Amino acid sequence: DVKVTQSSRYLVKRTGEKVFLECVQDMDHENMFWYRQDPGLGLRLIYFSYDVKMKEKGDIPEGYSVSREKKERFSLILESASTNQTSMYLCASSLRNEQFFGPGTRLTVL
Amino acid sequence: GDSVTQMEGPVTLSEEAFLTINCTYTATGYPSLFWYVQYPGEGLQLLLKATKADDKGSNKGFEATYRKETTSFHLEKGSVQVSDSAVYFCALRRSGGSNYKLTFGKGTLLTVNP
């Protein structure tokens, strides 16, 4: 079974803090994705990566950056957290047609 | 650009009722279509998929048929259970390309009462 794990289920940070969300997959997938999920807006793609050290902006990259130093790990970075980044963050990986999702990190920025 | 429109929820049904969640899409070419389900407190799981016109995806009693003429992929189940309560997302992947990026609808919350 494919497993996608995220470092935290719940996270509380203060405005201005630097925040790291980690995602690890164990199936040697090339593609990895970060989404945020908000009520009434569905899932919106922040960034994705199709290979180590390769990344592409998604639909809402502003305020975020990513890092992919190893194939299995894809990190989302909030350089200076703001209250409007309070959300559920979902990581996914895929080889071909199907994306496999982690359980999500619910981030609250106070 | 690509887009997915699905019926707004929430949808509330009694156990054993018939379920339809409508999904239509806009995309060039021949996209692949998916339904994902998110149970409370969990990430998304693939429920079913169809990769070409007239394909029917099915899983756990759910079905959806890829209708190119109406650009639709409606989700149906003949008899829902309380355990089907979840958020359902319709999604598409554009044909061609190599990044496997998905475009999602906004999700439909289904609540099934005993």
Side-chain angles (χ1 to χ4, degrees), chain A residues 9-23:
Chain A
R9 293 298 300 269
Y10 300 93
L11 209 51
V12 179
K13 296 292 182 181
R14 298 208 173 271
T15 301
E17 279 192 80
K18 189 169 187 174
V19 182
F20 292 87
L21 302 182
E22 305 285 342
C23 175

Side-chain angles (χ1 to χ4, degrees), chain A residues 33-55:
Chain A
F33 308 80
W34 273 107
Y35 297 89
R36 63 177 282 177
Q37 181 181 9
D38 300 288
L41 297 177
L43 271 73
R44 293 179 292 167
L45 182 63
I46 304 171
Y47 267 97
F48 66 98
S49 169
Y50 48 90
D51 203 348
V52 175
K53 296 191 188 293
M54 306 303 286
K55 61 186 179 185

Side-chain angles (χ1 to χ4, degrees), chain B residues 24-43:
Chain B
T24 57
Y25 68 89
T26 301
T28 54
Y30 298 88
S32 296
L33 301 174
F34 306 83
W35 277 101
Y36 279 82
V37 59
Q38 183 180 33
Y39 297 105
E42 298 183 14

Side-chain angles (χ1 to χ4, degrees), chain B residues 88-110:
Chain B
Y88 293 82
F89 292 91
C90 186
L92 71 82
R93 184 179 82 79
R94 185 187 293 181
S95 58
S98 60
N99 59 40
Y100 304 103
K101 186 176 143 183
L102 292 177
T103 299
F104 286 88
K106 293 184 179 179
T108 302
L109 173 63
L110 170 66

